[in-house]
Amino acid sequence: EAALMSADGGPHAREGADGVRAATTTAIGVADVDERGGAYAHGASHDGSIDDEGFTLKFLISPSAAGSVIGKGGATINEFQAQTGARIQLSRNREVFPGTNDRVVMLSGDLMSILKVLHMILSKLVADGEGIDRMGQPQVVLVVPNGSCGCIIGKGGAKIRSFVEDSQADIKLSNQDRMLPGCNDRTLTVTGSIDHVLRGVALVAATLCEDPSYNTLVLRPSTYSVHSPISPHGGGSRRSIDGGARRNSHNRSDETSVLVTIPDSLIGAVLGRGGRTIAEIQVASGCRIKVSDRDDFFEGTTNRKVVITGAQEGVQMANYLLTQKISAITLQSQGQQHGYQ
């Protein structure tokens, strides 16, 4: 299954185009209105058109909902792209957002096109019984870089409260303290009628357009869990985690195994003298940690494989401690010209 699908026109997209255009035009009036009454977002021209071609918006989608959006042979996603001009990309089948079973959808294009295609996607999901919360209300879960959340919250939470009042949607930002180790993104859940959700997303997106760091942050490599059995050779995700780690995970009764790959040049410092550091991490987390033999690298790299096995909370702690150790080594190396012992 291709992560990116190109598009030609199709009937489903044409059927929903007129309604989408009206709803999106309403939702896009979120940033500024010039003296001629034209609505535009940051980076747009004063004739009302939006020319922020490089904007990207990410949201989560369940495995079953992904099938609904893609359609048979990619027909639905192709139609949506052709009709709106937006680009739609999905993370691979088993690459999910940390702590969830949901895949990540990335929409790219100008803001108007993104809102149009989001409206089409959400309408399709609701019609198929997907994209709704437990109360049956339409819902979109956006993925927002932690570094850009401040502009959405505003001083004392004023900005996000204004979004709720304006859109009449329920908007909730996940707690920063609940971010998993190695994950630099938070989730923003927008719930309500389709029109209210679209309006809320438009308000958020227009604000993110004004954040100069957003485009850089949203396009950096992300951490994905791969829910599949770990093979002896570490098959699975090839998406890099910051610091050179990769993760694979699967559930076996109440145990979880995670595969982390670490550059060979750093493995000595991670092990510690006589294996002391890795032993301390095992004791602290209650997990078993196994490091691959010398010259036994993750396929296509010179990274050693480290398998962490234990209870989910313990695995998360061990992974966090390893990440912290790697970060400390990296910071230390910035001030040194020699290797690590």
Side-chain angles (χ1 to χ4, degrees), residues 4-339:
L4 170 63
M5 302 186 181
S6 60
D8 292 316
H12 292 301
R14 288 193 293 271
E15 289 171 4
D18 292 338
V20 169
R21 187 176 298 109
T24 306
T25 301
T26 300
I28 196 63
V30 298
D32 297 292
V33 178
D34 66 10
E35 61 276 9
R36 293 170 291 177
Y40 60 95
H42 178 76
S45 61
H46 282 253
D47 63 1
S49 64
I50 295 177
D51 50 25
D52 48 341
E53 293 290 338
F55 188 70
T56 299
L57 191 69
K58 292 181 179 180
F59 67 96
L60 302 184
I61 194 168
S62 69
S64 57
S68 178
V69 169
I70 294 170
K72 187 175 182 179
T76 303
I77 197 171
N78 288 345
E79 292 167 4
F80 288 175
Q81 290 184 123
Q83 187 65 36
T84 64
R87 192 180 189 189
I88 308 171
Q89 293 171 284
L90 279 76
S91 63
R92 296 186 185 279
N93 188 41
R94 292 183 176 180
E95 292 180 347
V96 300
F97 187 77
T100 76
N101 291 318
D102 297 331
R103 294 168 69 177
V104 179
V105 181
M106 184 166 70
L107 307 179
S108 304
D110 63 70
L111 187 53
M112 179 68 81
S113 296
I114 287 174
L115 291 174
K116 283 181 180 178
V117 79
L118 180 62
H119 186 280
M120 298 178 88
I121 290 172
L122 187 56
S123 297
K124 177 72 164 61
L125 292 178
V126 171
D128 292 347
E130 303 281 358
I132 54 178
D133 68 358
R134 293 179 180 179
M135 302 300 292
Q137 288 188 299
Q139 183 176 83
V140 170
V141 181
L142 300 178
V143 177
V144 182
N146 185 48
S148 296
C149 287
C151 68
I152 294 174
I153 297 170
K155 188 175 182 179
K159 177 76 77 172
I160 196 168
R161 284 197 299 271
S162 72
F163 292 167
V164 172
E165 293 173 2
D166 188 315
S167 68
Q168 300 180 51
D170 183 51
I171 304 176
K172 294 181 179 178
L173 182 65
S174 64
N175 195 315
Q176 184 175 1
D177 295 337
R178 297 179 67 87
M179 292 170 58
L180 292 177
C183 180
N184 299 305
D185 298 319
R186 294 163 71 179
T187 56
L188 185 74
T189 305
V190 186
T191 309
S193 68
I194 291 180
D195 288 345
H196 293 167
V197 168
L198 189 66
R199 174 72 172 180
V201 171
L203 288 163
V204 171
T207 299
L208 292 174
C209 280
E210 299 173 354
D211 179 8
S213 64
Y214 174 74
N215 274 347
T216 300
L217 295 175
V218 77
L219 294 175
R220 67 188 168 188
S222 300
T223 303
Y224 290 94
S225 297
V226 180
H227 292 279
S228 62
I230 298 176
S231 71
H233 299 290
S237 175
R238 297 193 180 187
R239 229 176 247 276
S240 295
I241 296 175
D242 294 343
R246 290 187 176 98
R247 174 185 296 177
N248 286 352
S249 67
H250 72 96
N251 293 324
R252 185 179 60 201
S253 66
D254 58 351
E255 277 199 344
T256 296
S257 290
V258 171
L259 173 64
V260 179
T261 72
I262 298 175
D264 189 51
S265 60
L266 302 181
I267 205 70
V270 170
L271 289 171
R273 188 181 298 275
R276 181 173 179 177
T277 301
I278 205 81
E280 290 175 348
I281 293 176
Q282 290 186 98
V283 171
S285 64
C287 293
R288 304 184 301 279
I289 303 177
K290 182 178 180 180
V291 180
S292 65
D293 295 333
R294 186 173 299 176
D295 297 328
D296 180 9
F297 301 131
F298 188 85
E299 181 183 0
T301 74
T302 56
N303 294 341
R304 299 275 288 278
K305 296 175 288 188
V306 180
V307 178
I308 310 169
T309 304
Q312 184 175 357
E313 290 184 359
V315 168
Q316 290 177 0
M317 176 180 289
N319 191 26
Y320 173 75
L321 293 173
L322 283 172
T323 302
Q324 290 292 97
K325 182 63 177 177
I326 293 171
S327 297
I329 296 169
T330 302
L331 288 174
Q332 184 181 357
S333 68
Q334 293 174 354
Q336 295 182 354
Q337 301 299 318
H338 58 274

